[in-house]
């Protein structure tokens, strides 16, 4: 199996359009590498590819990844569809860019399919250009030879769906297993707490991509100077997840969905040094993982 980290930041990206925090200023001037919004591409056979989440940056992400470029036929694309971990805008709006694509399938938890029809009707809009196949994820399913398992993570609803009374899970993680190589990759970009049973999922993985939105729960407030500061917004901060990750030194561990306030975006920061010392990575956009 091959996976490409197309984007590695939280909603807004790095730099964020309206942010003048010290980190965003450095990303804007080029002294830190810019990063696009969280999105993964995955393939079991190297021919058929799926996006895991479809970020608003998907047009440039596809253009900059040779593995996803169209051809050789004039409208031939290796992209077969997308899987959604949740219904957040930074994970779903990219579908609007893929409008008109034929034969695409979207897999998502039932609550997410509901939100994208009843709370924010992306599905009707997209289907007006070219109908997609919308599939509710069952516990386990086959994706072009990859074995996929959806792992319920939390009931965190997007803000636009806050009035929905539909039961979750609203957020899942995905476990991908290549039956030929045996490789296992787990993708969990939105983690509210360390879920029950997650130890076993991590222990059996070769590579874990985990929610690294915030280094500390308080950082939204300190970076923006807002005294009200939003707390961790349903994202387990690295200060809480790193001690968990330290228990799995044999697994390749990667933080993704980094918010622009997160000090680990600066490799010279003490926070980034702490990750290095724990053997945990924060690779840049475009990184390819083969398992
Ligand atoms: C999140 O990850 O919590 C959401 O993407 C937040 C947002 O879209 O504003
Ligand atoms: Mn997000
Ligand atoms: Zn910023």
């Amino acid at each position: 199996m091959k996976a490409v980290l197309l984007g590695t930041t939280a909603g807004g990206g790095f730099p964020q359009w309206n942010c003048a925090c010290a980190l965003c200023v450095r990303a804007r001037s080029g002294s830190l590498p810019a990063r696009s919004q969280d999105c993964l591409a995955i393939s079991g056979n190297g021919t058929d590819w799926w996006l895991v989440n479809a970020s608003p940056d998907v047009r440039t992400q596809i253009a900059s990844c040779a593995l996803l470029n169209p051809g050789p036929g004039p409208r031939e694309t290796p992209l077969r569809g997308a899987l959604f971990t949740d219904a957040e805008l930074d994970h779903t709006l990219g579908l609007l860019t893929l409008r008109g694509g034929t034969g695409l399938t979207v897999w998502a938890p039932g609550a997410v399919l509901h939100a994208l029809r009843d709370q924010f009707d992306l599905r009707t809009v997209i289907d007006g250009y070219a109908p997609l196949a919308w599939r509710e994820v069952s516990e386990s399913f086959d994706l072009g030879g990859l074995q996929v398992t959806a792992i319920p993570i939390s009931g965190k609803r997007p803000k636009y769906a806050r009035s929905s009374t539909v039961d979750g899970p609203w957020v899942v993680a995905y476990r991908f297993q290549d039956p030929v190589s045996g490789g296992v990759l787990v993708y969990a970009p939105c983690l509210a707490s360390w879920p029950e049973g997650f130890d076993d999922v991590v222990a059996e993985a070769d590579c874990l991509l985990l929610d690294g939105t915030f280094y500390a729960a308080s950082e939204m407030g300190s970076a923006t100077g807002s005294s009200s500061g939003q707390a961790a917004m349903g994202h387990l901060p690295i200060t809480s997840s790193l001690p968990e990750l330290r228990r799995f030194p044999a697994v390749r561990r990667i933080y993704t969905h980094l918010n622009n306030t997160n000090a680990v975006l600066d490799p010279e920061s003490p926070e980034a040094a702490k990750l290095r010392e724990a053997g945990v990575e924060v690779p840049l956009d475009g990184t390819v993982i083969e398992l």
Side-chain angles (χ1 to χ4, degrees):
M1 128 174 66
K2 248 187 202 162
V4 186
L5 300 183
L6 294 176
T8 52
T9 58
F14 183 56
Q16 178 172 305
W17 72 276
N18 61 346
C19 190
C21 76
L23 286 166
C24 283
V25 167
R26 291 176 62 198
R28 216 165 270 123
S29 71
S31 78
L32 287 175
R35 295 172 182 247
S36 64
Q37 296 168 87
D38 176 51
C39 191
L40 183 79
I42 196 155
S43 176
N45 58 15
T47 309
D48 304 298
W49 287 83
W50 280 266
L51 299 177
V52 197
N53 295 331
S55 94
D57 300 320
V58 75
R59 192 191 75 83
T60 46
Q61 290 171 334
I62 290 174
S64 63
C65 178
L67 295 164
L68 300 179
N69 287 175
R75 281 290 165 98
E76 215 171 292
T77 159
L79 212 60
R80 302 286 168 257
L83 289 79
F84 291 159
T85 58
D86 53 69
E88 297 289 347
L89 296 178
D90 58 334
H91 287 163
T92 55
L93 282 184
L95 266 194
L96 291 170
T97 296
L98 306 182
R99 68 189 175 282
T102 49
L104 301 179
T105 302
V106 173
W107 298 86
V112 171
L113 294 179
H114 140 76
L116 297 178
R117 165 141 298 154
D118 304 326
Q119 309 288 318
F120 171 55
D121 196 0
L122 190 74
R123 293 176 57 183
T124 300
V125 173
I126 295 273
D127 286 344
Y129 291 80
L132 303 190
W134 301 90
R135 298 268 178 276
E136 180 172 348
V137 291
S138 46
E139 200 188 314
S140 287
F141 56 103
D142 179 274
L143 198 70
L146 281 179
Q147 290 162 356
V148 188
T149 310
I151 303 156
I153 292 289
S154 77
K156 179 184 184 274
R157 289 163 170 68
K159 284 180 187 164
Y160 69 79
R162 63 172 87 69
S163 64
S164 168
T165 53
V166 167
D167 281 336
W170 280 80
V171 179
V172 298
Y174 289 109
R175 174 188 191 272
F176 299 93
Q177 180 155 32
D178 183 330
V180 178
S181 69
V184 172
L185 180 137
V186 173
Y187 184 62
C190 184
L191 200 72
S193 59
W194 194 262
E196 176 124 355
F198 205 56
D199 276 10
D200 293 339
V201 174
V202 177
E204 286 173 14
D206 297 293
C207 179
L208 169 70
L209 300 169
L210 195 71
D211 184 345
T213 308
F214 301 114
Y215 189 84
S218 58
E219 85 194 30
M220 279 296 270
S222 20
T224 58
S226 127
S227 56
S228 63
Q230 289 164 288
M233 291 169 58
H235 295 284
L236 187 68
I238 289 178
T239 50
S240 300
S241 60
L242 191 59
E244 307 286 356
L245 292 187
R246 284 183 190 277
R247 297 186 292 116
F248 303 94
V251 179
R252 182 173 182 191
R253 295 146 300 162
I254 291 173
Y255 278 121
T256 189
H257 196 272
L258 307 169
N259 195 58
N260 64 76
T261 52
N262 192 327
V264 305
L265 287 163
D266 175 5
E268 310 285 311
S269 67
E271 290 86 350
K274 223 170 211 159
L275 295 200
R276 274 195 299 278
E277 169 261 310
V280 178
E281 305 168 52
V282 281
L284 294 174
D285 293 7
T287 300
V288 180
I289 297 166
E290 269 188 82
L291 295 171

